Amino acid sequence: MEAQDLLKKVRKIEIHSRGLSNNIFAGQYHSAFKGRGMAFSEVRAYQYGDDVRDIDWNVTARMNSPYVKVYEEERELTVMLLIDVSASLDFGTRMQTKRDKATEIAATLAFSAIQNNDKIGVVFFSDKIEKYIPPKKGRKHILYIIHEMLDFHPESKRTDISCALQFLYSAVKHRCTAFILSDFYYRGDYEKQMIVCCKKHDVVAIQLYDQFARELPDVGLIKICDAETSHEMYIDTSDKKLRQAHRQYWQERRASLDRLFSKTNTDNISIATNEDYVKSLIQLFKLRS
């Protein structure tokens, strides 16, 4: 992409994303995420009705009477975007690819974060950590992130979600809110990494998909290619059994993700490349409020 065209695209995404974060998501972001970060403030004497789980047993032992920990909302959060940059994200049969959609959503989340005085960082991952942008504040930082999302060229085509989760756990020391933006086309097992990561961080999953991944159209004989392995083959989409098998495969994949997200208590949404992601984000924010 030429430098001038890239700058125009960055500017276009900035205008659109800032408008959404200012006019639509400002209050909803705060209620959905700021309330989840609680920091220890002080201890005070136990009062009737206090949650016994908040009792500070060390202070209670010293004072010979029960004391509870008091928490207050953290005024500043760290937001991490874990962005899948594997080759499968370059697929799209309508106006946008999955990567285009991920870029817009990530930019909107980033502007919502800095509007609430939060730091924003990014991890680009394939089957390895391709690039890490440490959390910072400010418009200049977000424009750099958008620029990288538009013009980044990963070294690997494949996906490994477990490596991204492991990196997040080790690189970000304090609790953060982490958004995973991926199509989740990964056949490996990452349940253990997800469980461990969710105990430390507030993890939100955003699945991006093309509508043809869910429902194969009847368009006759076509050549398909696995973007991550470069394997090519011809399939006859007029075959009803083939389309049914494809639909069943999608449903099984989605059911598997639902089980994982339910087990790890991970909030999640699925967004198609031809859908308005604003409605989906509003739904997510309301779910968490």
Side-chain angles (χ1 to χ4, degrees):
M1 188 182 298
E2 295 290 335
Q4 190 172 2
D5 293 336
L6 181 60
L7 288 174
K8 286 181 180 178
K9 199 162 186 178
V10 170
R11 181 59 177 159
K12 183 179 180 181
I13 291 176
E14 180 194 9
I15 293 171
H16 181 66
S17 302
R18 287 185 72 177
L20 289 174
S21 61
N22 291 338
N23 301 323
I24 298 177
F25 297 125
Q28 291 184 341
Y29 169 93
H30 188 279
S31 61
F33 298 103
K34 301 290 274 193
R36 296 298 180 96
M38 304 300 290
F40 171 72
S41 175
E42 60 182 355
V43 294
R44 62 164 171 77
Y46 177 86
Q47 298 175 1
Y48 177 77
D50 285 339
D51 193 331
V52 294
R53 292 173 295 183
D54 291 333
I55 293 177
D56 188 320
W57 293 106
N58 291 328
V59 177
T60 296
R62 290 199 304 269
M63 303 299 291
N64 291 320
S65 61
Y67 275 74
V68 294
K69 295 178 181 179
V70 179
Y71 296 87
E72 64 179 13
E73 180 183 327
E74 289 181 340
R75 299 304 173 188
E76 178 183 293
L77 295 178
T78 296
V79 176
M80 292 298 303
L81 303 175
L82 276 62
I83 302 177
D84 185 348
V85 292
S86 62
S88 63
L89 270 290
D90 290 323
F91 180 73
T93 59
R94 285 297 182 262
M95 298 290 289
Q96 288 185 311
T97 65
K98 288 178 280 186
R99 190 184 304 278
D100 291 334
K101 185 69 77 173
T103 300
E104 288 191 8
I105 295 171
T108 302
L109 292 171
F111 277 113
S112 297
I114 64 163
Q115 189 177 6
N116 281 270
N117 199 38
D118 295 336
K119 293 185 291 185
I120 186 87
V122 177
V123 176
F124 292 131
F125 72 94
S126 55
D127 60 351
K128 64 180 182 178
I129 303 304
E130 297 276 356
K131 187 179 183 70
Y132 172 50
I133 303 176
K136 289 183 181 179
K137 296 181 183 180
R139 173 178 174 270
K140 185 177 180 181
H141 179 61
I142 291 183
L143 293 181
Y144 169 65
I145 290 173
I146 296 173
H147 180 281
E148 287 297 293
M149 286 191 290
L150 288 171
D151 201 42
F152 186 76
H153 301 286
E155 294 182 2
S156 176
K157 294 182 178 181
R158 295 178 180 266
T159 311
D160 185 348
I161 296 173
S162 63
C163 79
L165 294 170
Q166 288 173 344
F167 182 84
L168 175 68
Y169 185 84
S170 59
V172 183
K173 302 303 180 183
H174 300 290
R175 181 174 175 83
C176 75
T177 294
F179 294 90
I180 307 175
L181 287 84
S182 174
D183 56 10
F184 290 90
Y185 271 113
Y186 176 53
R187 298 176 180 86
D189 182 16
Y190 55 97
E191 181 177 307
K192 290 181 180 178
Q193 291 86 352
M194 192 79 170
I195 291 173
V196 170
C197 217
C198 287
K199 287 182 178 179
K200 182 178 181 180
H201 300 299
D202 178 18
V203 181
V204 180
I206 300 178
Q207 181 193 27
L208 305 163
Y209 70 94
D210 187 272
Q211 61 177 356
F212 284 5
R214 184 175 61 185
E215 195 74 30
L216 198 62
D218 183 356
V219 291
L221 189 67
I222 61 172
K223 183 172 75 172
I224 61 172
C225 175
D226 187 317
E228 297 192 12
T229 65
S230 299
H231 176 69
E232 296 181 346
M233 63 182 296
Y234 285 89
I235 61 172
D236 184 5
T237 60
S238 62
D239 186 336
K240 187 176 180 180
K241 289 184 178 179
L242 175 70
R243 296 199 308 275
Q244 288 176 340
H246 181 83
R247 187 184 307 116
Q248 184 177 356
Y249 172 69
W250 166 264
Q251 292 170 348
E252 290 173 352
R253 281 190 62 246
R254 186 58 234 184
S256 177
L257 282 175
D258 286 339
R259 287 192 295 270
L260 174 63
F261 295 148
S262 176
K263 187 173 183 178
T264 57
N265 198 29
T266 301
D267 292 328
N268 67 97
I269 51 173
S270 293
I271 302 174
T273 54
N274 63 324
E275 289 180 347
D276 179 8
Y277 69 87
V278 173
K279 293 180 180 179
S280 297
L281 285 184
I282 290 175
Q283 176 187 347
L284 172 67
F285 289 2
K286 286 182 177 180
L287 176 69
R288 295 172 55 96
S289 299

